[in-house]
Amino acid sequence: LLALLGELEIDEKTIVFFVGDNGSSFNPNSEIGRLFDYLDASGLAENTVVVLTGDHGEEFDEHGGTHHGKTLYTESVGVPIIIHVPGLPSGVRQEPVGHLDFMPTVLDLMGVHEQEWPRLYGRNLLPLLMGKAWDEANFVYAMNTTKRRFDRLDLAIYQPPYALIRRSQKKSYEYYNLTDDYLQQRDLYDPDDPGLAVLRELLEQAAYALGEETARRPEAGAPDKAKAAAKTKAAAKTKL
């Protein structure tokens, strides 16, 4: 953390703000330990699924701001997701997933079959947790809006190692390669780059579906075509 603060040239006032505002974040570590101790002592550990995550990240002046909920950069939307399922092997998965994926996953683990689910937008992560092939689109969305709904609607799509951000007020895009620039300091967006057409179309579709008046109405069949193209593009990058 200190190395990161030094790299970003954060002043003493900002450091004091974060220590004071987020000191409570250290407390959950011990509480999580108490939870696991209880599960072990009570004999429930072998029959309990545990999901650990966060609702948001935190800004450390990477893009001129502090706190959270103001941007769609990795420092705000990137959070750890740890899912412990008794009997499943441990490991690290690189596929992008989101909070919407928790409910379908937990329902499946509880024995509630897919046909019994209400209308859910998330994806079942169980095949991914089991190390099986996961035939899902290799990207996730992020959204940020004001309290006055859609007064400002910013959207982002993360398809590692790339991220495309759509800024509604500025009517502009930002594009980043997270492998070389995880802190998203070098905007690579080129409106003439044909490789960005698929991701840009997906963001336009999402904006239209969410009710943004300036969003372009997608053509018939465009959502499925764009998602299929994104999956094909991701597969091609994986093979390379």
Side-chain angles (χ1 to χ4, degrees):
L1 175 59
L2 291 177
L4 177 60
L5 293 176
E7 179 182 342
L8 294 173
E9 299 181 354
I10 292 181
D11 58 32
E12 181 179 349
K13 181 179 178 181
T14 304
I15 294 175
V16 171
F17 165 78
F18 279 108
V19 171
D21 188 58
N22 296 305
S24 60
S25 65
F26 296 99
N27 189 50
N29 290 332
S30 61
E31 296 303 314
I32 290 170
R34 291 180 58 195
L35 170 63
F36 278 103
D37 288 343
Y38 169 78
L39 292 175
D40 288 334
S42 63
L44 296 174
E46 296 183 359
N47 193 36
T48 301
V49 174
V50 179
V51 180
L52 300 176
T53 187
D55 55 342
H56 55 75
E58 204 69 40
E59 298 176 34
F60 282 79
D61 204 32
E62 294 91 342
H63 295 90
T66 56
H67 211 57
H68 58 263
K70 300 176 183 177
T71 72
L72 293 174
Y73 299 113
T74 50
E75 64 266 21
S76 287
V77 301
V79 296
I81 297 177
I82 303 173
I83 303 178
H84 170 70
V85 181
L88 291 188
S90 61
V92 178
R93 308 292 184 261
Q94 300 296 336
E95 290 80 358
V97 300
H99 291 134
L100 289 176
D101 302 324
F102 291 164
M103 183 64 77
T105 305
V106 172
L107 286 175
D108 193 3
L109 288 168
M110 293 175 61
V112 181
H113 300 295
E114 187 172 351
Q115 56 268 28
E116 301 177 59
W117 298 350
R119 184 181 180 185
L120 297 176
Y121 292 98
R123 303 163 296 178
N124 185 356
L125 303 179
L126 188 54
L128 183 62
L129 297 176
M130 297 174 67
K132 297 182 179 180
W134 200 50
D135 186 25
E136 295 285 350
N138 191 31
F139 58 82
V140 290
Y141 291 105
M143 180 183 75
N144 190 16
T145 185
T146 58
K147 292 182 180 179
R148 291 169 51 193
R149 195 180 184 202
F150 306 140
D151 177 50
R152 185 198 76 227
L153 174 62
D154 293 338
L155 289 165
I157 185 168
Y158 279 80
Q159 186 185 45
Y162 303 105
L164 182 65
I165 299 174
R166 180 183 185 273
R167 306 285 296 276
S168 63
Q169 284 187 321
K170 294 183 178 180
K171 301 188 184 306
S172 63
Y173 287 90
E174 298 175 27
Y175 183 61
Y176 299 96
N177 184 331
L178 303 179
T179 300
D180 303 325
D181 181 26
Y182 185 76
L183 293 179
Q184 294 165 296
Q185 300 295 306
R186 299 186 298 275
D187 181 8
L188 304 176
Y189 183 73
D190 179 358
D192 298 322
D193 183 353
L196 297 180
V198 172
L199 297 182
R200 194 165 50 230
E201 178 64 25
L202 287 170
L203 286 184
E204 283 296 322
Q205 293 166 13
Y208 181 82
L210 289 167
E212 187 187 273
E213 295 180 357
T214 61
R216 175 172 48 81
R217 181 186 181 92
E219 299 177 0
D224 293 334
K225 292 178 182 178
K227 289 182 179 180
K231 290 175 65 175
T232 301
K233 180 180 178 183
K237 290 177 184 175
T238 302
K239 292 179 181 178
L240 291 175

Short mmCIF file of all heavy atoms in Angstrom, two decimals, residues 8-42:
data_model
loop_
_atom_site.label_atom_id
_atom_site.label_comp_id
_atom_site.label_asym_id
_atom_site.label_seq_id
_atom_site.Cartn_x
_atom_site.Cartn_y
_atom_site.Cartn_z
N LEU A 8 1.67 7.14 -6.57
CA LEU A 8 0.60 8.06 -6.97
C LEU A 8 0.79 9.45 -6.38
O LEU A 8 -0.02 10.34 -6.62
CB LEU A 8 -0.76 7.49 -6.54
CG LEU A 8 -1.17 6.20 -7.23
CD1 LEU A 8 -2.43 5.65 -6.59
CD2 LEU A 8 -1.39 6.42 -8.72
N GLU A 9 1.82 9.62 -5.55
CA GLU A 9 2.13 10.92 -4.95
C GLU A 9 0.94 11.46 -4.15
O GLU A 9 0.52 12.61 -4.30
CB GLU A 9 2.55 11.93 -6.03
CG GLU A 9 3.80 11.51 -6.79
CD GLU A 9 4.20 12.53 -7.83
OE1 GLU A 9 3.46 13.50 -8.03
OE2 GLU A 9 5.27 12.36 -8.44
N ILE A 10 0.38 10.62 -3.30
CA ILE A 10 -0.75 11.03 -2.47
C ILE A 10 -0.24 11.79 -1.26
O ILE A 10 0.72 11.37 -0.60
CB ILE A 10 -1.58 9.81 -2.04
CG1 ILE A 10 -2.27 9.22 -3.28
CG2 ILE A 10 -2.60 10.16 -0.97
CD1 ILE A 10 -3.13 8.04 -2.99
N ASP A 11 -0.86 12.91 -0.93
CA ASP A 11 -0.36 13.75 0.16
C ASP A 11 -0.78 13.20 1.52
O ASP A 11 -1.60 12.29 1.64
CB ASP A 11 -0.85 15.18 -0.01
CG ASP A 11 -2.37 15.29 -0.07
OD1 ASP A 11 -3.04 14.47 0.57
OD2 ASP A 11 -2.87 16.19 -0.76
N GLU A 12 -0.21 13.80 2.58
CA GLU A 12 -0.43 13.32 3.94
C GLU A 12 -1.89 13.45 4.35
O GLU A 12 -2.45 12.58 5.02
CB GLU A 12 0.45 14.12 4.90
CG GLU A 12 0.32 13.69 6.35
CD GLU A 12 1.23 14.50 7.26
OE1 GLU A 12 2.08 15.24 6.73
OE2 GLU A 12 1.07 14.39 8.48
N LYS A 13 -2.56 14.51 3.92
CA LYS A 13 -3.96 14.72 4.26
C LYS A 13 -4.83 13.59 3.74
O LYS A 13 -5.74 13.10 4.43
CB LYS A 13 -4.45 16.06 3.70
CG LYS A 13 -5.90 16.37 4.03
CD LYS A 13 -6.31 17.72 3.45
CE LYS A 13 -7.76 18.02 3.74
NZ LYS A 13 -8.18 19.33 3.17
N THR A 14 -4.56 13.14 2.53
CA THR A 14 -5.34 12.06 1.94
C THR A 14 -5.09 10.75 2.68
O THR A 14 -6.01 9.96 2.91
CB THR A 14 -4.99 11.88 0.46
OG1 THR A 14 -5.19 13.12 -0.22
CG2 THR A 14 -5.86 10.81 -0.18
N ILE A 15 -3.83 10.51 3.07
CA ILE A 15 -3.50 9.29 3.80
C ILE A 15 -4.25 9.26 5.12
O ILE A 15 -4.83 8.25 5.51
CB ILE A 15 -1.98 9.20 4.04
CG1 ILE A 15 -1.25 9.04 2.70
CG2 ILE A 15 -1.66 8.02 4.96
CD1 ILE A 15 0.25 9.06 2.82
N VAL A 16 -4.27 10.39 5.84
CA VAL A 16 -4.99 10.47 7.11
C VAL A 16 -6.47 10.20 6.90
O VAL A 16 -7.12 9.51 7.68
CB VAL A 16 -4.78 11.85 7.76
CG1 VAL A 16 -5.70 12.01 8.97
CG2 VAL A 16 -3.32 12.01 8.18
N PHE A 17 -7.02 10.72 5.79
CA PHE A 17 -8.45 10.52 5.49
C PHE A 17 -8.77 9.03 5.35
O PHE A 17 -9.73 8.53 5.91
CB PHE A 17 -8.81 11.24 4.18
CG PHE A 17 -10.13 10.80 3.59
CD1 PHE A 17 -11.32 11.26 4.12
CD2 PHE A 17 -10.16 9.92 2.53
CE1 PHE A 17 -12.53 10.86 3.58
CE2 PHE A 17 -11.36 9.52 1.98
CZ PHE A 17 -12.55 9.99 2.51
N PHE A 18 -7.92 8.31 4.63
CA PHE A 18 -8.20 6.91 4.40
C PHE A 18 -8.00 6.06 5.65
O PHE A 18 -8.75 5.13 5.90
CB PHE A 18 -7.34 6.37 3.25
CG PHE A 18 -7.90 6.71 1.91
CD1 PHE A 18 -7.29 7.66 1.11
CD2 PHE A 18 -9.06 6.13 1.46
CE1 PHE A 18 -7.81 7.99 -0.12
CE2 PHE A 18 -9.60 6.45 0.23
CZ PHE A 18 -8.97 7.39 -0.56
N VAL A 19 -7.00 6.39 6.44
CA VAL A 19 -6.80 5.64 7.68
C VAL A 19 -7.97 5.86 8.62
O VAL A 19 -8.49 4.92 9.23
CB VAL A 19 -5.47 6.06 8.35
CG1 VAL A 19 -5.38 5.45 9.74
CG2 VAL A 19 -4.28 5.63 7.51
N GLY A 20 -8.45 7.09 8.71
CA GLY A 20 -9.56 7.38 9.60
C GLY A 20 -10.88 6.84 9.09
O GLY A 20 -11.68 6.30 9.85
N ASP A 21 -11.11 6.96 7.79
CA ASP A 21 -12.39 6.57 7.21
C ASP A 21 -12.53 5.07 7.09
O ASP A 21 -13.62 4.52 7.17
CB ASP A 21 -12.56 7.22 5.84
CG ASP A 21 -13.96 7.00 5.28
OD1 ASP A 21 -14.93 7.41 5.95
OD2 ASP A 21 -14.07 6.42 4.19
N ASN A 22 -11.42 4.37 6.87
CA ASN A 22 -11.49 2.95 6.56
C ASN A 22 -10.82 2.07 7.60
O ASN A 22 -10.52 0.92 7.35
CB ASN A 22 -10.87 2.68 5.18
CG ASN A 22 -11.65 3.37 4.09
OD1 ASN A 22 -12.83 3.17 3.96
ND2 ASN A 22 -10.97 4.21 3.31
N GLY A 23 -10.57 2.64 8.81
CA GLY A 23 -9.96 1.83 9.85
C GLY A 23 -10.80 0.62 10.19
O GLY A 23 -10.27 -0.43 10.56
N SER A 24 -12.13 0.74 10.05
CA SER A 24 -13.01 -0.37 10.38
C SER A 24 -12.86 -1.54 9.42
O SER A 24 -13.33 -2.64 9.70
CB SER A 24 -14.46 0.10 10.39
OG SER A 24 -14.83 0.59 9.13
N SER A 25 -12.22 -1.32 8.26
CA SER A 25 -12.07 -2.42 7.30
C SER A 25 -11.14 -3.50 7.81
O SER A 25 -11.16 -4.62 7.31
CB SER A 25 -11.56 -1.87 5.96
OG SER A 25 -10.27 -1.34 6.11
N PHE A 26 -10.29 -3.15 8.80
CA PHE A 26 -9.39 -4.16 9.34
C PHE A 26 -10.12 -5.10 10.29
O PHE A 26 -9.70 -6.24 10.50
CB PHE A 26 -8.23 -3.48 10.07
CG PHE A 26 -7.35 -2.67 9.16
CD1 PHE A 26 -7.51 -1.30 9.08
CD2 PHE A 26 -6.39 -3.29 8.38
CE1 PHE A 26 -6.70 -0.55 8.24
CE2 PHE A 26 -5.60 -2.54 7.53
CZ PHE A 26 -5.74 -1.17 7.46
N ASN A 27 -11.21 -4.66 10.89
CA ASN A 27 -11.92 -5.47 11.87
C ASN A 27 -12.55 -6.72 11.27
O ASN A 27 -12.53 -7.77 11.93
CB ASN A 27 -13.00 -4.61 12.55
CG ASN A 27 -13.64 -5.32 13.72
OD1 ASN A 27 -12.95 -5.84 14.59
ND2 ASN A 27 -14.96 -5.36 13.74
N PRO A 28 -13.14 -6.68 10.06
CA PRO A 28 -13.74 -7.90 9.51
C PRO A 28 -12.77 -9.07 9.41
O PRO A 28 -13.22 -10.22 9.42
CB PRO A 28 -14.22 -7.45 8.12
CG PRO A 28 -14.49 -6.00 8.28
CD PRO A 28 -13.42 -5.51 9.21
N ASN A 29 -11.48 -8.82 9.28
CA ASN A 29 -10.54 -9.92 9.20
C ASN A 29 -10.64 -10.85 10.41
O ASN A 29 -10.71 -12.07 10.28
CB ASN A 29 -9.10 -9.39 9.07
CG ASN A 29 -8.85 -8.76 7.73
OD1 ASN A 29 -9.45 -9.11 6.73
ND2 ASN A 29 -7.95 -7.79 7.69
N SER A 30 -10.67 -10.27 11.59
CA SER A 30 -10.77 -11.09 12.80
C SER A 30 -12.15 -11.72 12.92
O SER A 30 -12.29 -12.86 13.39
CB SER A 30 -10.46 -10.25 14.04
OG SER A 30 -11.38 -9.17 14.17
N GLU A 31 -13.19 -10.99 12.47
CA GLU A 31 -14.55 -11.53 12.56
C GLU A 31 -14.73 -12.72 11.63
O GLU A 31 -15.43 -13.68 11.96
CB GLU A 31 -15.57 -10.44 12.24
CG GLU A 31 -15.57 -9.27 13.22
CD GLU A 31 -15.81 -9.72 14.63
OE1 GLU A 31 -16.73 -10.53 14.87
OE2 GLU A 31 -15.04 -9.28 15.52
N ILE A 32 -14.12 -12.66 10.46
CA ILE A 32 -14.19 -13.79 9.53
C ILE A 32 -13.50 -15.00 10.15
O ILE A 32 -13.96 -16.15 10.03
CB ILE A 32 -13.55 -13.42 8.18
CG1 ILE A 32 -14.42 -12.40 7.45
CG2 ILE A 32 -13.36 -14.66 7.30
CD1 ILE A 32 -13.78 -11.79 6.23
N GLY A 33 -12.38 -14.75 10.84
CA GLY A 33 -11.70 -15.84 11.53
C GLY A 33 -12.59 -16.48 12.58
O GLY A 33 -12.62 -17.72 12.72
N ARG A 34 -13.33 -15.65 13.32
CA ARG A 34 -14.24 -16.18 14.33
C ARG A 34 -15.34 -17.03 13.68
O ARG A 34 -15.76 -18.06 14.22
CB ARG A 34 -14.88 -15.03 15.11
CG ARG A 34 -13.92 -14.28 16.02
CD ARG A 34 -14.65 -13.17 16.75
NE ARG A 34 -15.76 -13.71 17.55
CZ ARG A 34 -16.73 -12.96 18.05
NH1 ARG A 34 -16.75 -11.64 17.81
NH2 ARG A 34 -17.68 -13.49 18.78
N LEU A 35 -15.82 -16.59 12.51
CA LEU A 35 -16.85 -17.35 11.80
C LEU A 35 -16.35 -18.74 11.42
O LEU A 35 -17.03 -19.75 11.67
CB LEU A 35 -17.28 -16.59 10.53
CG LEU A 35 -18.19 -17.37 9.57
CD1 LEU A 35 -19.51 -17.72 10.24
CD2 LEU A 35 -18.43 -16.56 8.29
N PHE A 36 -15.15 -18.82 10.86
CA PHE A 36 -14.62 -20.11 10.45
C PHE A 36 -14.32 -20.99 11.67
O PHE A 36 -14.49 -22.21 11.62
CB PHE A 36 -13.38 -19.93 9.59
CG PHE A 36 -13.69 -19.63 8.15
CD1 PHE A 36 -13.57 -18.34 7.65
CD2 PHE A 36 -14.12 -20.64 7.29
CE1 PHE A 36 -13.88 -18.07 6.33
CE2 PHE A 36 -14.42 -20.37 5.98
CZ PHE A 36 -14.29 -19.09 5.48
N ASP A 37 -13.87 -20.38 12.75
CA ASP A 37 -13.63 -21.15 13.98
C ASP A 37 -14.93 -21.77 14.48
O ASP A 37 -14.96 -22.94 14.91
CB ASP A 37 -13.04 -20.24 15.07
CG ASP A 37 -11.60 -19.87 14.79
OD1 ASP A 37 -10.95 -20.55 13.95
OD2 ASP A 37 -11.11 -18.88 15.38
N TYR A 38 -16.01 -20.99 14.40
CA TYR A 38 -17.30 -21.51 14.84
C TYR A 38 -17.78 -22.65 13.94
O TYR A 38 -18.28 -23.67 14.43
CB TYR A 38 -18.35 -20.40 14.84
CG TYR A 38 -19.76 -20.90 15.03
CD1 TYR A 38 -20.22 -21.28 16.29
CD2 TYR A 38 -20.62 -21.03 13.94
CE1 TYR A 38 -21.51 -21.77 16.46
CE2 TYR A 38 -21.91 -21.52 14.10
CZ TYR A 38 -22.34 -21.89 15.37
OH TYR A 38 -23.61 -22.39 15.54
N LEU A 39 -17.63 -22.48 12.64
CA LEU A 39 -18.05 -23.53 11.72
C LEU A 39 -17.30 -24.82 11.98
O LEU A 39 -17.88 -25.92 11.95
CB LEU A 39 -17.85 -23.08 10.27
CG LEU A 39 -18.75 -21.94 9.78
CD1 LEU A 39 -18.36 -21.51 8.37
CD2 LEU A 39 -20.22 -22.34 9.82
N ASP A 40 -16.00 -24.71 12.24
CA ASP A 40 -15.19 -25.90 12.53
C ASP A 40 -15.63 -26.55 13.84
O ASP A 40 -15.81 -27.76 13.93
CB ASP A 40 -13.71 -25.53 12.61
CG ASP A 40 -13.13 -25.22 11.24
OD1 ASP A 40 -13.64 -25.74 10.24
OD2 ASP A 40 -12.14 -24.45 11.18
N ALA A 41 -15.81 -25.71 14.88
CA ALA A 41 -16.15 -26.24 16.20
C ALA A 41 -17.54 -26.86 16.25
O ALA A 41 -17.79 -27.82 16.99
CB ALA A 41 -16.04 -25.13 17.25
N SER A 42 -18.46 -26.33 15.45
CA SER A 42 -19.84 -26.81 15.47
C SER A 42 -20.10 -27.96 14.52
O SER A 42 -21.19 -28.52 14.50
CB SER A 42 -20.79 -25.66 15.13
OG SER A 42 -20.54 -25.19 13.81
#
